[in-house]
Amino acid sequence: NIFVRSDHYNFVRKGVPSVFLWPGAGGPGRAAYDDFMKNHYHQPSDEIGQLPAIDWESGVRFVDVNYRIAREIADGAERPVWNKGDFFGL
């Protein structure tokens, strides 16, 4: 249910297509992810200086992938559409 809690959820509800990439929460980052979601997500402690520190190098790679996918969609020959049966396609 993280998608419906995302910052771009309200755009999607109005029919504005959005890209939502999810790298997963496995491996060594799982404990940090679980702690963040339980104790900090959308709360006053949801700050840039949180601990453990943000892995900025991985963040740059993630942003680059998001950009490239969004660019492909934006430059595509067809506009994004909701498909019948999609969560918001009704």
Side-chain angles (χ1 to χ4, degrees):
N1 99 20
I2 186 113
F3 178 72
V4 297
R5 295 175 63 193
S6 68
D7 294 332
H8 58 280
Y9 174 66
N10 284 314
F11 289 108
V12 173
R13 290 181 54 207
K14 298 291 185 183
V16 178
S18 295
V19 175
F20 185 81
L21 297 182
W22 179 243
R30 181 62 193 223
Y33 169 80
D34 288 345
D35 177 69
F36 175 77
M37 293 303 289
K38 179 180 178 185
N39 299 306
H40 306 289
Y41 183 67
H42 285 184
Q43 295 182 40
S45 59
D46 189 349
E47 293 287 337
I48 196 76
Q50 66 200 20
L51 292 175
I54 293 172
D55 178 353
W56 293 108
E57 188 174 315
S58 293
V60 168
R61 290 182 12 235
F62 188 70
V63 167
D64 183 58
V65 168
N66 273 275
Y67 169 78
R68 290 171 187 260
I69 291 171
R71 190 75 214 199
E72 285 290 322
I73 294 168
D75 291 342
E78 296 181 28
R79 296 179 65 176
V81 296
W82 298 122
N83 298 309
K84 185 175 182 176
D86 281 354
F87 188 70
F88 294 101
L90 307 174

mmCIF file of all heavy atoms in Angstrom, residues 52-82:
data_model
loop_
_atom_site.group_PDB
_atom_site.id
_atom_site.type_symbol
_atom_site.label_atom_id
_atom_site.label_comp_id
_atom_site.label_asym_id
_atom_site.label_seq_id
_atom_site.Cartn_x
_atom_site.Cartn_y
_atom_site.Cartn_z
ATOM 1 N N PRO A 52 20.038 5.529 9.931
ATOM 2 C CA PRO A 52 21.325 5.626 9.244
ATOM 3 C C PRO A 52 21.255 6.625 8.100
ATOM 4 O O PRO A 52 20.181 6.909 7.565
ATOM 5 C CB PRO A 52 21.563 4.210 8.728
ATOM 6 C CG PRO A 52 20.227 3.585 8.642
ATOM 7 C CD PRO A 52 19.384 4.239 9.701
ATOM 8 N N ALA A 53 22.393 7.139 7.737
ATOM 9 C CA ALA A 53 22.471 8.177 6.713
ATOM 10 C C ALA A 53 21.994 7.660 5.359
ATOM 11 O O ALA A 53 22.095 6.474 5.054
ATOM 12 C CB ALA A 53 23.915 8.670 6.604
ATOM 13 N N ILE A 54 21.487 8.567 4.561
ATOM 14 C CA ILE A 54 21.050 8.234 3.207
ATOM 15 C C ILE A 54 22.261 7.876 2.360
ATOM 16 O O ILE A 54 23.297 8.538 2.416
ATOM 17 C CB ILE A 54 20.286 9.423 2.589
ATOM 18 C CG1 ILE A 54 18.974 9.644 3.345
ATOM 19 C CG2 ILE A 54 20.042 9.214 1.104
ATOM 20 C CD1 ILE A 54 18.232 10.887 2.948
ATOM 21 N N ASP A 55 22.141 6.835 1.570
ATOM 22 C CA ASP A 55 23.196 6.421 0.646
ATOM 23 C C ASP A 55 23.027 7.251 -0.627
ATOM 24 O O ASP A 55 22.313 6.864 -1.547
ATOM 25 C CB ASP A 55 23.071 4.917 0.360
ATOM 26 C CG ASP A 55 24.092 4.398 -0.625
ATOM 27 O OD1 ASP A 55 24.837 5.209 -1.221
ATOM 28 O OD2 ASP A 55 24.132 3.177 -0.823
ATOM 29 N N TRP A 56 23.682 8.407 -0.669
ATOM 30 C CA TRP A 56 23.491 9.351 -1.765
ATOM 31 C C TRP A 56 23.945 8.784 -3.103
ATOM 32 O O TRP A 56 23.346 9.091 -4.141
ATOM 33 C CB TRP A 56 24.193 10.663 -1.464
ATOM 34 C CG TRP A 56 23.558 11.377 -0.315
ATOM 35 C CD1 TRP A 56 24.066 11.519 0.939
ATOM 36 C CD2 TRP A 56 22.281 12.017 -0.300
ATOM 37 N NE1 TRP A 56 23.186 12.211 1.734
ATOM 38 C CE2 TRP A 56 22.083 12.529 0.995
ATOM 39 C CE3 TRP A 56 21.292 12.201 -1.246
ATOM 40 C CZ2 TRP A 56 20.942 13.222 1.361
ATOM 41 C CZ3 TRP A 56 20.143 12.892 -0.890
ATOM 42 C CH2 TRP A 56 19.977 13.400 0.405
ATOM 43 N N GLU A 57 24.992 7.987 -3.121
ATOM 44 C CA GLU A 57 25.473 7.406 -4.382
ATOM 45 C C GLU A 57 24.395 6.517 -5.010
ATOM 46 O O GLU A 57 24.116 6.590 -6.207
ATOM 47 C CB GLU A 57 26.750 6.613 -4.146
ATOM 48 C CG GLU A 57 27.406 6.138 -5.424
ATOM 49 C CD GLU A 57 28.740 5.480 -5.168
ATOM 50 O OE1 GLU A 57 29.538 6.030 -4.390
ATOM 51 O OE2 GLU A 57 28.968 4.407 -5.757
ATOM 52 N N SER A 58 23.769 5.690 -4.195
ATOM 53 C CA SER A 58 22.677 4.859 -4.710
ATOM 54 C C SER A 58 21.484 5.723 -5.093
ATOM 55 O O SER A 58 20.782 5.427 -6.061
ATOM 56 C CB SER A 58 22.256 3.830 -3.656
ATOM 57 O OG SER A 58 23.294 2.901 -3.454
ATOM 58 N N GLY A 59 21.261 6.795 -4.350
ATOM 59 C CA GLY A 59 20.168 7.707 -4.670
ATOM 60 C C GLY A 59 20.327 8.333 -6.048
ATOM 61 O O GLY A 59 19.359 8.469 -6.794
ATOM 62 N N VAL A 60 21.559 8.705 -6.390
ATOM 63 C CA VAL A 60 21.826 9.281 -7.701
ATOM 64 C C VAL A 60 21.494 8.269 -8.797
ATOM 65 O O VAL A 60 20.875 8.608 -9.806
ATOM 66 C CB VAL A 60 23.292 9.746 -7.819
ATOM 67 C CG1 VAL A 60 23.667 10.078 -9.255
ATOM 68 C CG2 VAL A 60 23.538 10.945 -6.915
ATOM 69 N N ARG A 61 21.872 7.016 -8.610
ATOM 70 C CA ARG A 61 21.571 5.977 -9.597
ATOM 71 C C ARG A 61 20.063 5.783 -9.717
ATOM 72 O O ARG A 61 19.531 5.626 -10.823
ATOM 73 C CB ARG A 61 22.250 4.665 -9.209
ATOM 74 C CG ARG A 61 23.753 4.746 -9.370
ATOM 75 C CD ARG A 61 24.525 3.478 -9.048
ATOM 76 N NE ARG A 61 23.782 2.269 -8.892
ATOM 77 C CZ ARG A 61 23.827 1.480 -7.819
ATOM 78 N NH1 ARG A 61 24.586 1.793 -6.795
ATOM 79 N NH2 ARG A 61 23.133 0.365 -7.780
ATOM 80 N N PHE A 62 19.360 5.806 -8.608
ATOM 81 C CA PHE A 62 17.910 5.624 -8.617
ATOM 82 C C PHE A 62 17.216 6.776 -9.353
ATOM 83 O O PHE A 62 16.303 6.561 -10.154
ATOM 84 C CB PHE A 62 17.395 5.493 -7.184
ATOM 85 C CG PHE A 62 15.952 5.108 -7.090
ATOM 86 C CD1 PHE A 62 15.530 3.843 -7.446
ATOM 87 C CD2 PHE A 62 15.016 6.017 -6.643
ATOM 88 C CE1 PHE A 62 14.185 3.474 -7.357
ATOM 89 C CE2 PHE A 62 13.674 5.665 -6.552
ATOM 90 C CZ PHE A 62 13.263 4.394 -6.912
ATOM 91 N N VAL A 63 17.651 7.999 -9.083
ATOM 92 C CA VAL A 63 17.075 9.160 -9.761
ATOM 93 C C VAL A 63 17.340 9.080 -11.265
ATOM 94 O O VAL A 63 16.460 9.377 -12.080
ATOM 95 C CB VAL A 63 17.645 10.476 -9.176
ATOM 96 C CG1 VAL A 63 17.322 11.668 -10.060
ATOM 97 C CG2 VAL A 63 17.122 10.699 -7.769
ATOM 98 N N ASP A 64 18.533 8.656 -11.650
ATOM 99 C CA ASP A 64 18.866 8.533 -13.063
ATOM 100 C C ASP A 64 17.955 7.516 -13.755
ATOM 101 O O ASP A 64 17.456 7.776 -14.859
ATOM 102 C CB ASP A 64 20.334 8.133 -13.235
ATOM 103 C CG ASP A 64 20.728 8.078 -14.693
ATOM 104 O OD1 ASP A 64 20.601 9.099 -15.403
ATOM 105 O OD2 ASP A 64 21.176 6.995 -15.138
ATOM 106 N N VAL A 65 17.710 6.388 -13.123
ATOM 107 C CA VAL A 65 16.812 5.378 -13.700
ATOM 108 C C VAL A 65 15.397 5.945 -13.824
ATOM 109 O O VAL A 65 14.736 5.774 -14.852
ATOM 110 C CB VAL A 65 16.820 4.086 -12.851
ATOM 111 C CG1 VAL A 65 15.693 3.162 -13.258
ATOM 112 C CG2 VAL A 65 18.161 3.389 -12.971
ATOM 113 N N ASN A 66 14.927 6.640 -12.793
ATOM 114 C CA ASN A 66 13.601 7.259 -12.849
ATOM 115 C C ASN A 66 13.510 8.238 -14.019
ATOM 116 O O ASN A 66 12.537 8.241 -14.763
ATOM 117 C CB ASN A 66 13.299 8.006 -11.544
ATOM 118 C CG ASN A 66 12.699 7.138 -10.497
ATOM 119 O OD1 ASN A 66 11.502 6.943 -10.478
ATOM 120 N ND2 ASN A 66 13.524 6.607 -9.615
ATOM 121 N N TYR A 67 14.525 9.060 -14.168
ATOM 122 C CA TYR A 67 14.532 10.040 -15.249
ATOM 123 C C TYR A 67 14.487 9.359 -16.607
ATOM 124 O O TYR A 67 13.709 9.738 -17.482
ATOM 125 C CB TYR A 67 15.766 10.937 -15.163
ATOM 126 C CG TYR A 67 15.928 11.781 -16.405
ATOM 127 C CD1 TYR A 67 15.149 12.919 -16.601
ATOM 128 C CD2 TYR A 67 16.825 11.416 -17.405
ATOM 129 C CE1 TYR A 67 15.267 13.671 -17.751
ATOM 130 C CE2 TYR A 67 16.943 12.159 -18.559
ATOM 131 C CZ TYR A 67 16.166 13.292 -18.728
ATOM 132 O OH TYR A 67 16.279 14.018 -19.876
ATOM 133 N N ARG A 68 15.315 8.347 -16.798
ATOM 134 C CA ARG A 68 15.384 7.676 -18.095
ATOM 135 C C ARG A 68 14.050 7.008 -18.459
ATOM 136 O O ARG A 68 13.614 7.073 -19.607
ATOM 137 C CB ARG A 68 16.514 6.662 -18.108
ATOM 138 C CG ARG A 68 17.885 7.312 -18.095
ATOM 139 C CD ARG A 68 18.977 6.258 -17.873
ATOM 140 N NE ARG A 68 20.260 6.862 -17.695
ATOM 141 C CZ ARG A 68 21.183 6.950 -18.659
ATOM 142 N NH1 ARG A 68 20.930 6.466 -19.861
ATOM 143 N NH2 ARG A 68 22.346 7.510 -18.414
ATOM 144 N N ILE A 69 13.419 6.388 -17.491
ATOM 145 C CA ILE A 69 12.123 5.763 -17.757
ATOM 146 C C ILE A 69 11.070 6.817 -18.072
ATOM 147 O O ILE A 69 10.307 6.691 -19.043
ATOM 148 C CB ILE A 69 11.685 4.879 -16.575
ATOM 149 C CG1 ILE A 69 12.594 3.649 -16.486
ATOM 150 C CG2 ILE A 69 10.218 4.473 -16.700
ATOM 151 C CD1 ILE A 69 12.397 2.828 -15.243
ATOM 152 N N ALA A 70 11.014 7.878 -17.275
ATOM 153 C CA ALA A 70 10.042 8.951 -17.520
ATOM 154 C C ALA A 70 10.283 9.602 -18.876
ATOM 155 O O ALA A 70 9.327 9.937 -19.597
ATOM 156 C CB ALA A 70 10.114 9.991 -16.410
ATOM 157 N N ARG A 71 11.550 9.758 -19.253
ATOM 158 C CA ARG A 71 11.880 10.357 -20.548
ATOM 159 C C ARG A 71 11.400 9.480 -21.699
ATOM 160 O O ARG A 71 10.863 9.966 -22.698
ATOM 161 C CB ARG A 71 13.384 10.574 -20.638
ATOM 162 C CG ARG A 71 13.825 11.397 -21.803
ATOM 163 C CD ARG A 71 13.491 12.824 -21.518
ATOM 164 N NE ARG A 71 13.128 13.474 -22.751
ATOM 165 C CZ ARG A 71 13.130 14.778 -22.905
ATOM 166 N NH1 ARG A 71 13.463 15.562 -21.894
ATOM 167 N NH2 ARG A 71 12.787 15.308 -24.030
ATOM 168 N N GLU A 72 11.587 8.169 -21.567
ATOM 169 C CA GLU A 72 11.112 7.239 -22.592
ATOM 170 C C GLU A 72 9.595 7.320 -22.743
ATOM 171 O O GLU A 72 9.064 7.309 -23.850
ATOM 172 C CB GLU A 72 11.520 5.806 -22.252
ATOM 173 C CG GLU A 72 12.977 5.501 -22.482
ATOM 174 C CD GLU A 72 13.343 5.454 -23.953
ATOM 175 O OE1 GLU A 72 12.534 4.955 -24.764
ATOM 176 O OE2 GLU A 72 14.445 5.926 -24.286
ATOM 177 N N ILE A 73 8.904 7.417 -21.626
ATOM 178 C CA ILE A 73 7.444 7.529 -21.665
ATOM 179 C C ILE A 73 7.040 8.849 -22.311
ATOM 180 O O ILE A 73 6.168 8.891 -23.187
ATOM 181 C CB ILE A 73 6.849 7.402 -20.248
ATOM 182 C CG1 ILE A 73 7.084 5.991 -19.710
ATOM 183 C CG2 ILE A 73 5.366 7.763 -20.246
ATOM 184 C CD1 ILE A 73 6.790 5.840 -18.228
ATOM 185 N N ALA A 74 7.682 9.939 -21.900
ATOM 186 C CA ALA A 74 7.334 11.265 -22.424
ATOM 187 C C ALA A 74 7.616 11.379 -23.914
ATOM 188 O O ALA A 74 6.871 12.033 -24.649
ATOM 189 C CB ALA A 74 8.100 12.339 -21.661
ATOM 190 N N ASP A 75 8.680 10.755 -24.379
ATOM 191 C CA ASP A 75 9.059 10.845 -25.794
ATOM 192 C C ASP A 75 8.443 9.738 -26.643
ATOM 193 O O ASP A 75 8.692 9.674 -27.848
ATOM 194 C CB ASP A 75 10.587 10.788 -25.935
ATOM 195 C CG ASP A 75 11.260 12.041 -25.392
ATOM 196 O OD1 ASP A 75 10.578 13.069 -25.227
ATOM 197 O OD2 ASP A 75 12.480 11.977 -25.123
ATOM 198 N N GLY A 76 7.658 8.868 -26.032
ATOM 199 C CA GLY A 76 7.064 7.749 -26.747
ATOM 200 C C GLY A 76 6.065 8.195 -27.802
ATOM 201 O O GLY A 76 5.529 9.304 -27.751
ATOM 202 N N ALA A 77 5.816 7.330 -28.746
ATOM 203 C CA ALA A 77 4.883 7.625 -29.836
ATOM 204 C C ALA A 77 3.435 7.693 -29.351
ATOM 205 O O ALA A 77 2.611 8.374 -29.947
ATOM 206 C CB ALA A 77 5.016 6.571 -30.935
ATOM 207 N N GLU A 78 3.133 6.997 -28.252
ATOM 208 C CA GLU A 78 1.773 6.982 -27.724
ATOM 209 C C GLU A 78 1.750 7.546 -26.311
ATOM 210 O O GLU A 78 2.704 7.391 -25.555
ATOM 211 C CB GLU A 78 1.237 5.550 -27.692
ATOM 212 C CG GLU A 78 1.097 4.932 -29.066
ATOM 213 C CD GLU A 78 0.535 3.518 -28.986
ATOM 214 O OE1 GLU A 78 -0.215 3.229 -28.030
ATOM 215 O OE2 GLU A 78 0.859 2.728 -29.869
ATOM 216 N N ARG A 79 0.642 8.174 -25.969
ATOM 217 C CA ARG A 79 0.468 8.696 -24.619
ATOM 218 C C ARG A 79 0.128 7.548 -23.670
ATOM 219 O O ARG A 79 -0.515 6.577 -24.079
ATOM 220 C CB ARG A 79 -0.658 9.714 -24.578
ATOM 221 C CG ARG A 79 -0.365 10.950 -25.405
ATOM 222 C CD ARG A 79 -1.509 11.908 -25.356
ATOM 223 N NE ARG A 79 -1.637 12.381 -23.977
ATOM 224 C CZ ARG A 79 -2.494 13.298 -23.588
ATOM 225 N NH1 ARG A 79 -3.316 13.836 -24.451
ATOM 226 N NH2 ARG A 79 -2.554 13.677 -22.332
ATOM 227 N N PRO A 80 0.510 7.655 -22.414
ATOM 228 C CA PRO A 80 0.107 6.632 -21.440
ATOM 229 C C PRO A 80 -1.411 6.601 -21.301
ATOM 230 O O PRO A 80 -2.079 7.637 -21.416
ATOM 231 C CB PRO A 80 0.753 7.100 -20.128
ATOM 232 C CG PRO A 80 1.828 8.049 -20.537
ATOM 233 C CD PRO A 80 1.366 8.670 -21.816
ATOM 234 N N VAL A 81 -1.963 5.436 -21.082
ATOM 235 C CA VAL A 81 -3.407 5.288 -20.907
ATOM 236 C C VAL A 81 -3.672 4.343 -19.742
ATOM 237 O O VAL A 81 -2.834 3.533 -19.372
ATOM 238 C CB VAL A 81 -4.086 4.711 -22.173
ATOM 239 C CG1 VAL A 81 -3.935 5.661 -23.346
ATOM 240 C CG2 VAL A 81 -3.544 3.355 -22.525
ATOM 241 N N TRP A 82 -4.868 4.483 -19.174
ATOM 242 C CA TRP A 82 -5.317 3.523 -18.179
ATOM 243 C C TRP A 82 -5.937 2.357 -18.935
ATOM 244 O O TRP A 82 -6.711 2.551 -19.867
ATOM 245 C CB TRP A 82 -6.367 4.124 -17.252
ATOM 246 C CG TRP A 82 -5.894 5.284 -16.441
ATOM 247 C CD1 TRP A 82 -6.435 6.534 -16.438
ATOM 248 C CD2 TRP A 82 -4.821 5.314 -15.515
ATOM 249 N NE1 TRP A 82 -5.750 7.340 -15.579
ATOM 250 C CE2 TRP A 82 -4.755 6.616 -14.990
ATOM 251 C CE3 TRP A 82 -3.898 4.374 -15.076
ATOM 252 C CZ2 TRP A 82 -3.806 7.000 -14.048
ATOM 253 C CZ3 TRP A 82 -2.950 4.759 -14.138
ATOM 254 C CH2 TRP A 82 -2.927 6.047 -13.638
#
